[in-house]
Amino acid sequence: MKRSGNTAWWTSPRPLWLVAALFAWLMATAWVRPLMAPDEGRYAGVALQMLYSGDWLVPRLDGLPFFHKPPLFYWIGAGAMALAGPVEWAARLPSILGAVVAAATLFLFLRRWSTVRLALLSTVVLVTTPFFFLGAQFANLDMLVAGCITGTVLLAAGAVLARERDEPWRAMLAGAYLLAAAGLLAKGLIGAVLPAGVLLAWCAVTRKTAALRLAAWLPGWAVLLAVAGPWFVAMQMRYPEFFDYFVITQHFRRFASSGFNNEHPFWFYLPVMAGLTLPWFGWLLVPRRKEAQPAGRRLCDVDWLMWIWLAVIVAFFSMPRSKLIGYVLPALPPLAYLIAQRVLAGRPLEVLLPRLRAMTLAAAAVCVACMMAIVVYATPPGARLRLPADLAAAPGDQVVMLDNYTYELPFYWRLRNPVLVSGDWKAAGDEGRDNWRKELLDAARFDPARAAATLIERTQLATTLCSPRTSWLVGPNNAQLANPWLGRAQLVAFNERIAVWRFAGSAARDPHCLDLSPGAPAPAAQATTGKGTDGND
């Protein structure tokens, strides 16, 4: 039967065109705002340092081995920056690719095992949900692993359904194991454990006990181990403490312990997901039409998969006290399906199409508006702090950060070498809460020799600075209150957070070059008004 013009919106797009459209939509605003501290600055900085150092095996934060997370995000980011340079969209490309994988696999799975209408609307709902859109625009690991988890679940579920119908299934299952390996390399054990939990629960509820044998499919395990195994083995061989730190501490201790950042109640994710998926979430609040679902209709296999998937992800991340919003991004694809199903249930297509077009445009506008709001209200002033045009750090100069580590600065200054970080390191100890100091101290455990040359005790600062070389000092914009000797340095740039000084050093290596004249008053603090050269572009 010939399709009418009103239903052309529902025709199935070609997969390559769909992927291109998804990528273009998610990439469209990836460049408009500077990196946000600390997360985006941290992960982009590690990727850039991987590129500059030429060591693509060990992720490094300020030159020190950084094993909070595996390397897949850094590999993709470093590869993108090798082609485009250190620009924001290249730093965010891993997240964008994760979002494209999630949306594309959702569409392809539903097109095969449900209807084209439901597949297309679910995908549209997903990519125009502010939660998903903003997650794809943020340079951290959450969206990348969400894409891997989504692809693993859907490819494995497709293999199960195809096997039941005596259709080809091995390629899909191999793809599921491949994406599980990518999930392991993206964010560790959750990349494989969460999809396994979803699939095992789904098979148990739908009584697909025979399908459980696919979990022991040897070719799949060979793919997983061949892809993910070498990096973990290499790190354990090089750093004997790697397993205890990466697996025990970063996975199990963090999951079970309190005292970390971002503690929230058990129900935290429920209002978060409802609020950040508007306006689409509103459809779930619309009373169901009587003819939408006949009495006694049973949930199909796909329905069960989506409900179980949503419940497992939300419940898993609700258990630990420490919660970040991005953790539940893997729950958005099933939620998008459930919303789309509610929208389409029992409603004539001719009546729905005008409303859906308007709703899609409104949702897309909300996504862009949220991005603009972040640019205006959530981006720190002068986040792209640069040196004035007439000043530049020469190759022999050293950069020293005072009692702080500004994550995004090495990215924007394109520093090829680690910076020196001054602080009271001996008194810092092993801090329980996450911050820049704990991250550097944790990294220092794996390379004490490099750490000794990078993490400078405040009492040894004079030895570092009183040398015949120029130093660029970066610290809080009121750092002169605690370091009156900064009156000897030239203030070259500052904003509401940080300031930069240029210190000429001492040609004679005078160990007292930081001393103030006896009896001289301490210079007044500078750069506390927020006015000056901020270099924000």
Side-chain angles (χ1 to χ4, degrees):
M1 184 176 70
K2 185 178 179 181
R3 297 178 185 270
S4 68
N6 287 335
T7 60
W9 194 78
W10 293 100
T11 56
S12 177
R14 295 179 181 274
L16 290 180
W17 283 110
L18 174 72
V19 170
L22 293 172
F23 184 81
W25 162 244
L26 297 173
M27 179 67 84
T29 58
W31 55 272
V32 301
R33 63 180 179 83
L35 300 178
M36 294 180 68
D39 286 356
E40 288 196 295
R42 177 196 304 114
Y43 295 120
V46 173
L48 185 61
Q49 196 161 118
M50 179 175 282
L51 173 64
Y52 283 160
S53 69
D55 183 358
W56 290 70
L57 193 60
V58 182
R60 296 182 183 276
L61 178 66
D62 199 34
L64 302 173
F66 184 63
F67 293 133
H68 274 217
K69 299 296 183 290
L72 182 59
F73 183 96
Y74 312 126
W75 287 341
I76 299 172
M81 287 186 275
L83 298 175
V87 292
E88 287 91 350
W89 70 261
R92 296 179 177 123
L93 184 62
S95 298
I96 294 170
L97 293 180
V100 171
V101 168
T105 53
L106 179 67
F107 173 80
L108 294 174
F109 175 84
L110 293 177
R111 186 183 67 167
R112 172 64 184 86
W113 301 109
S114 184
T115 67
V116 172
R117 292 179 181 180
L118 190 54
L120 188 56
L121 182 57
S122 297
T123 307
V124 169
V125 170
L126 180 64
V127 300
T128 58
T129 293
F131 197 173
F132 187 86
F133 182 80
L134 296 177
Q137 309 278 306
F138 199 76
N140 73 356
L141 288 71
D142 293 331
M143 183 56 83
L144 181 60
V145 75
C148 295
I149 290 172
T150 298
T152 302
V153 169
L154 295 175
L155 284 173
V160 170
L161 296 174
R163 188 173 181 269
E164 286 185 338
R165 293 158 176 76
D166 293 325
E167 298 177 4
W169 55 271
R170 290 179 177 82
M172 282 187 287
L173 190 58
Y177 276 97
L178 178 62
L179 282 174
L184 284 170
L185 289 171
K187 207 175 179 182
L189 293 179
I190 65 167
V193 171
L194 286 181
V198 171
L199 293 163
L200 290 175
W202 176 60
C203 288
V205 169
T206 57
R207 300 182 180 179
K208 300 180 185 299
T209 54
L212 295 176
R213 288 180 293 181
L214 298 182
W217 191 52
L218 293 182
W221 280 100
V223 169
L224 187 147
L225 293 175
V227 173
W231 184 80
F232 292 97
V233 172
M235 293 301 96
Q236 181 62 33
M237 292 178 64
R238 182 178 296 190
Y239 302 101
E241 295 183 15
F242 171 78
F243 180 85
D244 178 75
Y245 180 79
F246 179 79
V247 177
I248 305 302
T249 297
Q250 293 300 317
H251 288 75
F252 297 103
R253 292 193 183 112
R254 288 184 65 92
F255 188 86
S257 301
S258 61
F260 291 103
N261 297 354
N262 306 296
E263 292 193 13
H264 296 288
F266 181 82
W267 46 263
F268 171 73
Y269 288 119
L270 300 180
V272 164
M273 294 184 67
L276 293 181
T277 55
L278 291 171
W280 290 111
F281 189 84
W283 281 95
L284 295 179
L285 306 179
V286 176
R288 186 184 296 274
R289 295 166 60 94
K290 293 181 180 180
E291 65 272 23
Q293 182 169 327
R297 178 188 179 275
R298 299 176 62 184
L299 296 178
C300 67
D301 288 339
V302 175
D303 293 340
W304 275 115
L305 175 66
M306 297 301 174
W307 278 111
I308 291 170
W309 180 357
L310 177 64
V312 167
I313 298 297
V314 175
F316 178 86
F317 287 112
S318 295
M319 287 188 288
R321 297 184 183 181
S322 179
K323 299 177 179 69
L324 290 175
I325 291 177
Y327 287 173
V328 291
L329 283 171
L332 295 185
L335 181 60
Y337 167 85
L338 296 172
I339 292 173
Q341 188 182 57
R342 175 63 70 87
V343 173
L344 294 176
R347 294 179 174 87
L349 182 59
E350 293 75 12
V351 175
L352 273 178
L353 278 178
R355 297 173 64 184
L356 287 179
R357 290 191 185 100
M359 190 76 166
T360 299
L361 291 175
V366 170
C367 290
V368 175
C370 289
M371 177 59 63
M372 294 302 104
I374 292 175
V375 172
V376 175
Y377 297 107
T379 301
R384 296 185 179 109
L385 182 68
R386 302 185 191 276
L387 295 177
D390 58 339
L391 293 172
D397 295 351
Q398 61 184 0
V399 178
V400 183
M401 295 191 182
L402 304 174
D403 297 308
N404 194 21
Y405 186 77
T406 306
Y407 289 96
E408 68 274 20
L409 187 140
F411 178 89
Y412 286 116
W413 286 18
R414 303 190 178 192
L415 298 179
R416 292 182 173 271
N417 298 315
V419 304
L420 307 181
V421 186
S422 170
D424 194 359
W425 295 106
K426 292 181 180 178
D430 186 11
E431 299 189 6
R433 301 186 67 83
D434 290 325
N435 55 34
W436 64 272
R437 186 177 288 104
K438 175 175 172 53
E439 289 180 355
L440 290 175
L441 285 172
D442 284 355
R445 294 166 46 186
F446 296 95
D447 195 343
R450 184 185 291 269
T454 303
L455 307 183
I456 307 299
E457 285 291 336
R458 190 180 294 111
T459 57
Q460 300 298 317
L461 195 55
T463 303
T464 301
L465 298 180
C466 296
S467 61
R469 64 189 303 188
T470 298
S471 297
W472 299 86
L473 308 170
V474 183
N477 64 4
N478 61 352
Q480 198 168 345
L481 296 174
N483 303 278
W485 53 267
L486 283 172
R488 295 179 176 271
Q490 176 190 4
L491 178 65
V492 296
F494 67 92
N495 58 43
E496 293 183 5
R497 295 189 305 142
I498 59 175
V500 180
W501 294 265
R502 183 179 182 274
F503 186 71
S506 172
R509 297 183 181 274
D510 178 9
H512 303 290
C513 73
L514 301 186
D515 294 347
L516 295 173
S517 302
Q526 303 179 50
T528 58
T529 64
K531 299 179 181 179
T533 304
D534 64 12
N536 197 10
D537 56 8

